[in-house]
Amino acid sequence: MNADRLPPVAPEVTATLVEGLSPRLRKRLDAAVTKLAARPVHRDGDTTTIEVDDETELRLHAPGGVVAQVEDVTCGCLLAPACVHRAAAACAAPPADVAPEPAEQPTPEAAGTASADADAATGDGSVATDPPPVTDPATAMVQASAPHRASGTDSAPGPGPAPAPGLTPAPPEAATPDQRAAADALWAAGAAVLEAGVDGAGAVAQSALLRAAHTARLRHLPRAAGAALSVVTLLRAARAGDPSYRTAELVTALAELLGTARRVATATGTELAAVRGRVRRPYSPDGSLRLYGLFTEPVVTDSGHGGVRTWVAGADGRLFTVGDVAPGGVGRALGVADRAVRLGDTALTHRELGRAGLAVSGATVSPDGRLGAGKSVKAVTARGAAWTEPPLAALWETPPAEQAARALRSTSRYADPDGTGSDLLFLDVELLGAVREPGGTCLLALGEGGVPLRLTAADDDPALAHRDNLALLAAAPGTRLRIIGRLIPAAHPRLTLLACSHPTGEGTIDLGLDRLRRADLPDPAAPAHFAPPQPAGPGAQSPLYLLERRVEQTVPAGRAALGMLGDVAAETRRIRRGGLPTAAGLLTALCASAAQRERDHFGRLLPADIDGFAAYWLAAARYSAAVSESLCSAAWNPTGEVQGASGGPPVAAARAAV
């Protein structure tokens, strides 16, 4: 049984079913989930039926596509409704990302303030060089507990408008007791997952996360609730052996969950609004827009969805997208590219829009730049612009280092999201040829200032054109191209190549949809050219990976696995020699906390300090991510100057990260 064949189940439904099991059945729950996954599934309208055995059926009723009530899960066995089958089915199904009505609605004034604060949050997470070293575990614990300021500094949020004379300014808004309690529950559930690791975080631990996520949504904490659901989804993928699962993704999700939960108690004002997050990202009116097509990229997700996203730019340089993604995979992505865009009355297809223009009136735009297609939106075809003509040419005039810093703000793993900016880079390059790497072959190019760039395929699916086009371009060293790529955070400049100017100089190529031919190259008979090895970037030899490795090792097997490492003095000495004393202190504190087990007066082991270990782990995860982003920023800077993701003061940024 594929979990994707089951309807999504609301988190509170799964949590309620698991909590209703007896202790004996809870021990059997993980085995029941595995056994149920092998049984046949049938869907008839809103009802999905699982054959538990030859005589018993289990039904999930999902009106509207989501199992929203406990009564919607029924079983025909003799022990129902107290059987393990209902809880097992809910645990096997994907969690629904729903937004239930909160128990207490905020007043209109409070709601308006929260919305304004959320829109004002910048989310610039700047990172760079090392702050003073952590000398003892207590210091690391305090730093891990400190909130991560959205501005990249340790200062409090800036003051609002000046109060009227004679009036006492109102104190900044703080979290309510219910919100702090919900955040504490999320922290406890996340710390328990970190303690047990993937192998020990079965259905019961996931149920605790789902219950905490549901409570957080009711208390107006959608950001933390969403992070908890992401952790559950990744845990299930890891335990099911999903080939798309990556440990680094679960590290990021756990750190986001723990960091956000910890900040709720201390955040105020605009920072609190960013920590709370927003349930939905509504479209807002944006008047009339004159848009110019840039390119179209295919979108294929691990969940089986497929479609395209077309990027356009406004006259002022702002980037917007028009998308069409739905279940269907790569076949749908290729088909949708030649369908009409769902925007106003235009008859342009997505491929055509990527090279044409639009005049839009009554435009609506989401905070992340998606154009709405409501009934009031009017759009007609207009003249496009070449990449070398205004206003598009201005996108390539920004220095690459500034573009990389902007993209890092968009992709920063733990910065407060503000929905603005993109991770696209617009560069002029000279192709050097292919270069072999441990993970495969990529295209090497020389960018502005002599910076070597590695260009990789956005998708290796042979049905898409990315891989074949990259191989052909490797056979044309010396060719100068204008390219659009997506930043890959790394210790050397690296992009996924999405679009480029045609090698002949006429037109553009959507590298995922259009296929180059050998005749399109300047020298059609040339074989693939392999460039000579390039010098390593400023962060290529950084020993930071020693800390990152220990952070990642914790997730699969839990705290106990890290506690058995023994002495890490050799690793910490190497990190210190690399100029990262804080990383060395964090590694020492993390491993010491993992191995620490106190005994009572009778020699019996006391319970481990789960909260303390989670705080050390969070500090190490956030710090290593901050320095990694700093090294990425430095790699794009020809002068070698280390800047944070927002270009701010490096010491304050790194200190804020932990």
Side-chain angles (χ1 to χ4, degrees):
M1 176 183 69
N2 190 331
D4 292 337
R5 296 178 59 189
L6 298 179
V9 178
E12 65 272 21
V13 172
T14 303
T16 300
L17 289 173
V18 174
E19 291 164 358
L21 295 177
S22 65
R24 180 179 64 86
L25 290 181
R26 288 192 185 188
K27 294 179 180 179
R28 297 172 50 190
L29 182 56
D30 289 329
V33 172
T34 302
K35 183 177 179 179
L36 206 63
R39 303 302 300 169
V41 178
H42 308 284
R43 177 170 292 186
D44 183 11
D46 292 337
T47 302
T48 300
T49 303
I50 306 174
E51 295 181 9
V52 178
D53 54 41
D54 294 339
E55 300 179 354
T56 305
E57 290 184 343
L58 187 149
R59 291 184 175 87
L60 292 85
H61 184 55
V66 175
V67 179
Q69 298 181 5
V70 174
E71 295 76 13
D72 291 336
V73 184
T74 59
C75 183
C77 73
L78 296 177
L79 295 178
C83 63
V84 74
H85 303 131
R86 299 171 69 217
C91 291
D97 188 8
V98 296
E101 287 297 323
E104 297 178 1
Q105 295 288 350
T107 63
E109 293 80 2
T113 302
S115 175
D117 288 344
D119 292 336
T122 62
D124 294 344
S126 57
V127 285
T129 58
D130 231 336
V134 176
T135 56
D136 58 87
T139 304
M141 183 80 169
V142 172
Q143 290 181 337
S145 303
H148 172 57
R149 300 293 180 185
S151 62
T153 66
D154 290 330
S155 59
L167 295 179
T168 302
E173 183 186 11
T176 66
D178 284 345
Q179 288 177 331
R180 290 194 291 270
D184 289 342
L186 284 168
W187 171 274
V193 169
L194 194 62
E195 167 74 13
V198 170
D199 295 339
V204 175
Q206 295 167 24
S207 171
L209 269 174
L210 293 174
R211 172 61 70 191
H214 174 62
T215 303
R217 281 199 181 276
L218 293 179
R219 300 294 180 257
H220 311 292
L221 298 174
R223 177 178 175 181
L229 293 183
S230 296
V231 171
V232 171
T233 300
L234 290 167
L235 281 174
R236 292 179 177 178
R239 293 174 63 86
D242 189 334
S244 65
Y245 166 76
R246 299 291 183 272
T247 300
E249 294 180 1
L250 184 52
V251 169
T252 299
L254 266 172
E256 168 69 9
L257 169 62
L258 294 172
T260 304
R262 177 57 62 92
R263 293 173 61 195
V264 168
T266 55
T268 58
T270 55
E271 184 192 355
L272 177 61
V275 171
R276 285 172 174 167
R278 287 181 286 190
V279 176
R280 296 181 179 89
R281 307 184 72 81
Y283 288 81
S284 58
D286 207 338
S288 297
L289 296 174
R290 180 66 169 90
L291 304 175
Y292 300 86
L294 280 166
F295 72 100
T296 300
E297 63 171 323
V299 177
V300 181
T301 69
D302 294 330
S303 61
H305 288 66
V308 295
R309 181 188 299 116
T310 299
W311 290 81
V312 296
D316 57 357
R318 286 189 298 161
L319 299 181
F320 305 91
T321 59
V322 182
D324 186 349
V325 180
V330 66
R332 187 179 189 278
L334 294 173
V336 168
D338 294 313
R339 294 183 189 175
V341 174
R342 299 176 182 175
L343 192 67
D345 299 325
T346 179
L348 289 174
T349 67
H350 281 274
R351 285 181 190 263
E352 294 169 342
L353 177 57
R355 297 173 174 85
L358 279 180
V360 183
S361 62
T364 58
V365 183
S366 71
D368 57 0
R370 287 176 293 176
L371 292 169
K375 295 181 179 179
S376 61
V377 178
K378 307 297 181 183
V380 295
T381 304
R383 176 187 174 277
W387 288 1
T388 54
E389 299 175 352
L392 299 186
L395 297 172
W396 279 265
E397 294 173 0
T398 303
E402 293 184 20
Q403 294 192 49
R406 180 202 64 214
L408 275 173
R409 289 196 296 270
S410 175
T411 61
S412 181
R413 281 177 274 180
Y414 307 120
D416 292 333
D418 63 352
T420 60
S422 77
D423 53 0
L424 298 185
L425 272 69
F426 304 84
L427 306 172
D428 290 304
V429 302
E430 178 184 345
L431 302 184
L432 299 180
V435 61
R436 292 186 177 93
E437 294 185 327
T441 301
C442 66
L443 179 61
L444 193 67
L446 203 61
E448 182 180 327
V451 177
L453 316 173
R454 286 171 170 81
L455 309 176
T456 64
D459 197 309
D460 286 330
D461 194 310
L464 300 175
H466 292 291
R467 189 174 60 183
D468 293 340
N469 285 335
L470 207 69
L472 277 176
L473 291 175
T479 303
R480 294 182 177 274
L481 295 176
R482 179 158 278 194
I483 67 170
I484 301 176
R486 178 167 286 118
L487 177 72
I488 300 176
H492 52 265
R494 194 176 187 89
L495 299 172
T496 54
L497 193 56
L498 301 174
C500 69
S501 57
H502 198 283
T504 62
E506 298 182 2
T508 60
I509 299 292
D510 295 337
L511 290 167
L513 300 171
D514 304 327
R515 289 190 178 272
L516 285 168
R517 298 173 298 176
R518 191 166 290 276
D520 295 325
L521 303 180
D523 185 0
H529 175 76
F530 283 87
Q534 297 295 311
Q541 304 301 322
S542 171
L544 182 67
Y545 76 92
L546 295 171
L547 177 61
E548 293 175 324
R549 181 176 62 182
R550 300 310 182 192
V551 169
E552 286 199 6
Q553 283 179 342
T554 308
V555 173
R559 177 194 56 80
L562 199 63
M564 294 187 293
L565 288 177
D567 188 14
V568 292
E571 294 183 14
T572 57
R573 284 196 298 269
R574 183 176 176 185
I575 294 174
R576 289 184 187 278
R577 286 198 301 268
L580 297 173
T582 299
L586 287 172
L587 178 58
T588 301
L590 178 65
C591 293
S593 176
Q596 183 179 10
R597 291 296 302 271
E598 301 290 343
R599 295 180 180 272
D600 62 15
H601 296 296
F602 299 99
R604 296 171 298 191
L605 282 175
L606 296 173
D609 184 7
I610 297 177
D611 287 346
F613 175 72
Y616 288 119
W617 182 88
L618 174 62
R622 297 290 292 264
Y623 175 86
S624 58
V627 176
S628 293
E629 291 173 4
S630 176
L631 293 173
C632 176
S633 178
W636 283 91
N637 196 327
T639 65
E641 181 182 354
V642 178
Q643 287 284 338
S646 65
V651 172
R655 184 178 294 120
V658 295

